[in-house]
Amino acid sequence: MNTQVDEDVKNIQKLLSQGKYQAVYDQYAPVLRDMLFVESPEEWLDFIQQEGTLEEEPLGLYLSARQGACLLLGCYEGDATRKVLDYLKGRIPEELLEKLSGLAPIVIDIDELGGALEKQIVPYQETLTQVGFAFHIDFEDIYCAGAYFLSVETQ
């Protein structure tokens, strides 16, 4: 996690400990929608009154995705190829991006055999590692059926 994400996590935890639930929603509604599927302040208040807090690790992942540090992909995303390639633009050399464009599509559906992101990404990962890049995948299933957080890093 980066410094901004760490600060946001601490801020959210501080506001929650002070009972300032509306302030959390006002400042972080898009993240809460992504993470908890809450669509209104009332839904958020219902959730937080039942749960009492938010887990720091998933919160950090969703904040990172909102800031563009990683790509959020659902476990029933379907064809995610374009999203992955768009995320990689500017993060890897253009010629490498062109190579990846020619690979099999990434179709994520965890209910299907071979539909997990880890299996779908193998040919992409092999191509990336040949030139000093690698995907990093985090998986979160505390607040939903499952979400992947994909990032690319240099080796």
Side-chain angles (χ1 to χ4, degrees):
M1 281 191 276
N2 65 36
T3 305
Q4 183 60 52
V5 169
D6 289 338
E7 288 177 22
D8 284 337
V9 168
K10 287 176 186 171
N11 185 46
I12 290 168
Q13 297 297 5
K14 179 181 174 188
L15 291 169
L16 291 176
S17 71
Q18 296 171 345
K20 296 181 179 179
Y21 307 131
Q22 187 63 45
V24 172
Y25 187 82
D26 292 344
Q27 292 178 43
Y28 300 99
V31 173
L32 297 173
R33 275 193 290 274
D34 290 347
M35 186 167 84
L36 305 172
F37 303 101
V38 295
E39 295 295 327
S40 69
E42 294 79 21
E43 288 179 1
W44 159 243
L45 291 174
D46 285 345
F47 171 85
I48 201 62
Q49 288 170 353
Q50 288 178 4
E51 297 297 320
T53 190
L54 294 172
E55 297 285 330
E56 285 188 29
E57 187 175 339
L59 180 57
L61 289 169
Y62 282 95
L63 286 163
S64 293
R66 268 286 160 183
Q67 293 178 6
C70 60
L71 176 64
L72 169 60
L73 297 166
C75 285
Y76 300 98
E77 188 79 32
D79 189 344
T81 312
R82 179 59 28 218
K83 275 180 131 176
V84 171
L85 294 174
D86 287 348
Y87 167 76
L88 292 172
K89 283 181 185 169
R91 290 178 169 84
I92 63 172
E94 188 64 36
E95 60 274 3
L96 183 55
L97 190 60
E98 287 177 28
K99 276 186 183 179
L100 296 178
S101 299
L103 297 176
I106 300 167
V107 182
I108 306 168
D109 184 341
I110 61 168
D111 289 339
E112 296 295 324
L113 185 62
L117 177 61
E118 294 87 350
K119 291 184 180 188
Q120 298 285 319
I121 213 84
V122 168
Y124 292 75
Q125 185 78 291
E126 290 169 352
T127 303
L128 286 172
T129 56
Q130 291 174 6
V131 292
F133 290 92
F135 278 127
H136 175 81
I137 300 171
D138 287 298
F139 180 76
E140 186 279 314
D141 64 351
I142 292 174
Y143 295 115
C144 63
Y148 292 106
F149 298 85
L150 180 71
S151 57
V152 66
E153 46 200 39
T154 55
Q155 292 181 316

